[in-house]
Amino acid sequence: MHWLSHLLCLALLGFVRALSSGGNRLLVVSEQPAEREKYSKFWGDLESRGYKLSFQSPKDDTLSLFQHGERAFDHVILLPTKSKGLGPSLTPNLLLQFINNNGNILLTLSAESPVPSAISSLLLELDIHLPPDRTSLVTDHFNYDTISASEKHDVLVLPQPSSLRKDVKNFFDVNGVIAFPRAVAQELGASSSLLTPIIRAPETAYSFNPKEEAETVEEPFAVGSQITLVSAMQARNSARFTILGSAEALENAWFDANVKAQGAKELRSSNREFAKCLSAWTFMETGVLKVGRVEHHLSSVPESGSSNDSAAQLDSLNPKIYRIKNDVTFNIELSEYLFDHVAPFAPSLEDAVQLEFTMLSAFHRLDLQPVSKTVNSTIFSTNFRLPDQHGIFAFRVNYKRPFLTNIDVKREVTVRHFAHDEWPRSWMISAGWVWIAGIWITVAGWVAFVALWLWSEPAYEQSRGKKTR
């Protein structure tokens, strides 16, 4: 029986390792069954990572994102469709509701298919703008594939995406170039902090409508770095919505195709590796932070506080009440989910996890330093002295970075005044020595005066006058 139980545990462990942190139920919305065969390698890669794929048409009456008030799927892939609408089951309101319920969506666009009105409305809700004619594509006369697009220049060959900032991790780093055939331009609004570009177009690219037979394009929709080819939106609940401007980049023909940029040598495209990185991030396989233990306690007890409950709190974790000017230690355990395992979280060198000790505003904002590591976590810690202010405070770690799930941990505590027996004695305060000396000098002077008064009898003279009647 022992070997049977061990075998069952190993089977369950292998099953869990095959899943992403967000689940394995994946819905693929495709209008034409014949179109699915073009992406067979992509489907195979997803199934090898443990996903259970369900293919449905947007016109299917049985299609529903929710069942009994809960999500019926964990992730959704929307492929381009020929129709102008997506049906009653994929309205913008339902798609936003799916995101609000921690669902993840990978949306693919193509210049060969007009963008449905439901998708355009959904993107406008997220402050993402598409060309108004719905058939525009991105062209670049300097960064195109000379093998497949020697005339139209509508297949862009771009290098691997670089990091957004020095303090942001790059989850889409691939070794090689990426081909983007017939991509649709996206323009991200500047008012939303939730939108992040993954790959921008080169400075020489522009978006135009190929149906307009003209030698020059006078008013393009967007040019240069205004064009985003791949973008992402991570909601406040850490649900992810990714827009890939070229659905053809996921096809079998481009997974291992040979491409050649102008003036460069012929290379094999890295579309397959990029598709894996992009889908892994969208479906919560990478960039997922987990919070373990959160602890705070007294670092030490001053001599003046050894006679009260501060000494009893020294060895206790997470007390509910502290005293002003206490020395406190705060620890938090962070892990990062990477594909099929949990690893210790390590921020970039230019970044730092910070602790805020706040009431209405932060009294302290300190960098947390990694002090130790376990097999699958990193423990960050810092020491500081509480402010000279009583009230209800909170230890807060509010860590929000692009491409990483949000962390907002808050622990409330009470900070009290000094107790009556915790104040330092007057003779321990050097500034009070003058007043203490003045008191004793006054006492000594009074005693000396009284002694002088009592032991110094005045001299009296006897009167020699005659008595009279």
Side-chain angles (χ1 to χ4, degrees):
M1 294 298 293
H2 290 289
W3 67 269
L4 183 60
S5 61
H6 287 304
L7 183 62
L8 181 60
C9 291
L10 289 176
L12 290 175
L13 181 61
F15 177 75
V16 171
R17 285 173 63 87
L19 304 181
S20 75
S21 63
N24 69 330
R25 300 173 299 173
L26 176 57
L27 171 65
V28 180
V29 180
S30 177
E31 190 174 29
Q32 299 295 333
E35 294 290 327
R36 304 170 189 170
E37 299 300 326
K38 297 181 179 180
Y39 309 94
S40 59
K41 291 184 179 180
F42 183 50
W43 309 142
D45 291 344
L46 291 173
E47 289 176 344
S48 66
R49 282 149 49 194
Y51 291 98
K52 296 181 179 179
L53 275 63
S54 301
F55 295 90
Q56 285 188 281
S57 171
K59 300 178 181 179
D60 193 347
D61 296 335
T62 62
L63 175 62
S64 177
L65 298 178
F66 299 92
Q67 187 176 9
H68 306 300
E70 299 292 334
R71 286 187 290 110
F73 302 95
D74 301 309
H75 320 285
V76 174
I77 296 179
L78 297 175
L79 294 178
T81 60
K82 300 293 184 182
S83 57
K84 295 183 178 180
L86 293 179
S89 300
L90 297 173
T91 61
N93 188 25
L94 288 176
L95 292 174
L96 286 176
Q97 185 179 351
F98 183 78
I99 295 175
N100 292 333
N101 283 268
N102 299 315
N104 307 301
I105 299 177
L106 174 59
L107 171 64
T108 62
L109 305 175
S110 175
E112 300 292 333
S113 302
V115 181
S117 57
I119 297 300
S120 299
S121 301
L122 173 64
L123 296 181
L124 285 177
E125 289 283 343
L126 304 177
D127 202 13
I128 302 174
H129 305 274
L130 299 179
D133 49 26
R134 297 186 180 182
T135 57
S136 294
L137 56 81
V138 180
T139 302
D140 193 336
H141 301 300
F142 296 91
N143 301 279
Y144 65 92
D145 182 23
T146 58
I147 299 176
S148 61
S150 58
E151 295 183 359
K152 295 184 177 180
H153 303 172
D154 56 356
V155 179
L156 275 63
V157 178
L158 303 179
Q160 59 186 6
S162 58
S163 180
L164 183 65
R165 299 193 309 258
K166 291 183 179 181
D167 60 337
V168 176
K169 283 189 174 183
N170 187 4
F171 293 98
F172 314 99
D173 188 13
V174 295
N175 186 17
V177 296
I178 308 171
F180 289 94
R182 291 167 288 281
V184 177
Q186 311 161 37
E187 189 175 8
L188 306 183
S191 60
S192 177
S193 60
L194 305 177
L195 297 176
T196 307
I198 297 176
I199 296 182
R200 291 186 182 273
E203 295 294 336
T204 53
Y206 64 95
S207 175
F208 83 107
N209 188 356
K211 294 182 179 180
E212 297 179 357
E213 297 294 339
E215 295 182 357
T216 60
V217 180
E218 295 183 357
E219 295 182 359
F221 167 72
V223 296
S225 59
Q226 296 176 348
I227 300 174
T228 304
L229 300 177
V230 185
S231 59
M233 189 279 297
Q234 182 168 267
R236 301 188 190 280
N237 62 351
S238 297
R240 293 169 174 178
F241 180 75
T242 305
I243 306 99
L244 176 61
S246 175
E248 288 86 346
L250 302 178
E251 293 181 359
N252 300 339
W254 293 100
F255 262 27
D256 298 314
N258 292 330
V259 294
K260 182 181 179 181
Q262 189 179 18
K265 62 180 181 179
E266 186 174 339
L267 299 172
R268 186 174 295 273
S269 68
S270 300
N271 285 37
R272 189 167 195 167
E273 186 179 354
F274 176 73
K276 177 183 178 181
C277 296
L278 186 66
S279 60
W281 181 85
T282 305
F283 301 149
M284 310 289 285
E285 293 182 67
T286 58
V288 179
L289 300 183
K290 301 291 185 181
V291 179
R293 294 177 300 169
V294 179
E295 299 175 351
H296 55 86
H297 57 85
L298 288 175
S299 302
S300 62
V301 176
E303 295 181 359
S304 60
S306 58
S307 60
N308 55 71
D309 59 351
S310 295
Q313 292 182 1
L314 181 60
D315 296 330
S316 64
L317 292 177
N318 305 329
K320 295 296 183 181
I321 187 169
Y322 287 101
R323 194 207 68 199
I324 59 174
K325 296 185 178 181
N326 270 151
D327 293 324
V328 176
T329 298
F330 179 85
N331 301 322
I332 186 171
E333 185 180 19
L334 297 180
S335 304
E336 183 178 5
Y337 192 84
L338 295 174
F339 290 102
D340 59 352
H341 68 282
V342 179
F345 173 63
S348 61
L349 298 177
E350 304 293 335
D351 193 16
V353 182
Q354 290 187 328
L355 167 70
E356 293 181 354
F357 192 70
T358 176
M359 186 186 290
L360 295 177
S361 59
F363 279 69
H364 289 289
R365 185 176 288 113
L366 307 169
D367 290 346
L368 291 168
Q369 303 297 330
V371 293
S372 63
K373 285 188 178 181
T374 63
V375 178
N376 51 18
S377 65
T378 304
I379 298 177
F380 295 84
S381 178
T382 189
N383 301 317
F384 67 99
R385 176 162 291 184
L386 298 183
D388 189 6
Q389 173 68 43
H390 72 285
I392 305 299
F393 285 82
F395 297 95
R396 186 179 185 185
V397 177
N398 187 15
Y399 186 75
K400 296 177 181 178
R401 299 294 185 273
F403 307 125
L404 291 173
T405 54
N406 299 327
I407 291 179
D408 193 357
V409 177
K410 184 184 291 186
R411 298 290 187 271
E412 290 189 353
V413 294
T414 301
V415 179
R416 62 174 176 83
H417 275 303
F418 278 97
H420 70 282
D421 59 345
E422 291 178 318
W423 296 98
R425 299 306 179 186
S426 57
W427 58 81
M428 298 177 61
I429 303 175
S430 59
W433 292 350
V434 177
W435 309 103
I436 296 175
I439 292 174
W440 287 108
I441 290 174
T442 303
V443 172
W446 173 253
V447 171
F449 173 75
V450 171
L452 184 64
W453 177 267
L454 293 178
W455 276 277
S456 299
E457 182 179 358
Y460 293 98
E461 294 183 0
Q462 294 182 355
S463 59
R464 295 180 180 180
K466 296 181 180 180
K467 295 182 179 179
T468 57
R469 291 183 180 180

